[in-house]
């Protein structure tokens, strides 16, 4: 949809594409601000973020980690996305396996994650 290249439809890719579709067509996230599987570095290690949405100023706004439907959302997955977000500093974090979805608002001053009932509409927060 956004990558302008064909990719293999793995179980994780299926979840990623459905999340991106939901963000665009249900929550008004602009396609132009969404990045899929972009490289980032953390402690000199190269990592890839599944989905990162930027705000209108080009700053990370939402970081999403996607897992295949058969992969449970565990504390290890939460730690993974939290680690990535230490570098990116996105105020919203989402984890999904297509069946279970979690969203948090991050307070970087207190280092606390506030659970949200749902992913906010793009216009509500930006």
């Amino acid at each position: 949809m956004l990558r302008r290249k064909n990719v293999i439809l793995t179980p994780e890719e299926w979840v990623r594409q459905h999340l991106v579709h939901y963000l665009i067509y249900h929550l008004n996230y602009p396609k132009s601000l969404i990045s899929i599987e972009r490289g980032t570095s953390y402690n000199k290690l190269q990592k890839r973020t599944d989905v990162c949405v930027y705000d209108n100023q080009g700053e990370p706004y939402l970081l999403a980690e996607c897992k295949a439907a058969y992969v449970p959302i565990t504390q290890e997955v939460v730690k993974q996305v939290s680690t990535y977000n230490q570098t990116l500093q996105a105020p919203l974090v989402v984890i999904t396996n297509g069946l279970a979805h979690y969203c948090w608002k991050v307070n970087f001053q207190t280092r606390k994650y506030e659970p949200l009932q749902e992913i906010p509409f793009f216009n509500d927060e930006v």
Side-chain angles (χ1 to χ4, degrees):
M1 177 192 315
L2 297 176
R3 290 193 251 189
R4 298 186 178 117
K5 67 178 182 176
N6 292 325
V7 294
I8 296 172
L9 187 60
T10 63
E12 184 177 312
E13 182 63 25
W14 185 91
V15 172
R16 193 169 19 254
Q17 290 301 318
H18 279 78
L19 174 64
V20 168
H21 183 274
Y22 182 72
L23 292 173
I24 293 168
Y25 296 105
H26 296 275
L27 299 179
N28 300 325
Y29 285 71
K31 289 180 189 179
S32 62
L33 299 179
I34 298 174
S35 171
I36 300 174
E37 289 197 306
R38 179 170 284 175
T40 189
S41 59
Y42 177 76
N43 283 343
K44 299 182 182 177
L45 298 173
Q46 284 300 113
K47 301 291 183 180
R48 287 194 175 275
T49 57
D50 282 325
V51 177
C52 187
V53 179
Y54 296 88
D55 63 20
N56 291 320
Q57 289 72 46
E59 296 297 321
Y61 171 67
L62 179 147
L63 175 62
E65 178 65 26
C66 300
K67 297 296 183 188
Y70 59 83
V71 176
I73 305 299
T74 63
Q75 188 61 37
E76 195 60 35
V77 176
V78 174
K79 182 180 176 185
Q80 177 187 3
V81 75
S82 299
T83 299
Y84 292 173
N85 203 36
Q86 288 177 7
T87 301
L88 292 173
Q89 301 277 302
L92 293 175
V93 172
V94 173
I95 301 174
T96 182
N97 65 5
L99 303 172
H101 321 283
Y102 301 93
C103 182
W104 294 272
K105 188 171 188 172
V106 182
N107 182 324
F108 292 102
Q109 285 74 36
T110 63
R111 301 178 59 105
K112 301 239 184 209
Y113 280 55
E114 174 192 341
L116 301 178
Q117 292 296 313
E118 54 193 31
I119 302 169
F121 281 88
F122 186 74
N123 295 332
D124 286 352
E125 294 286 325
V126 178

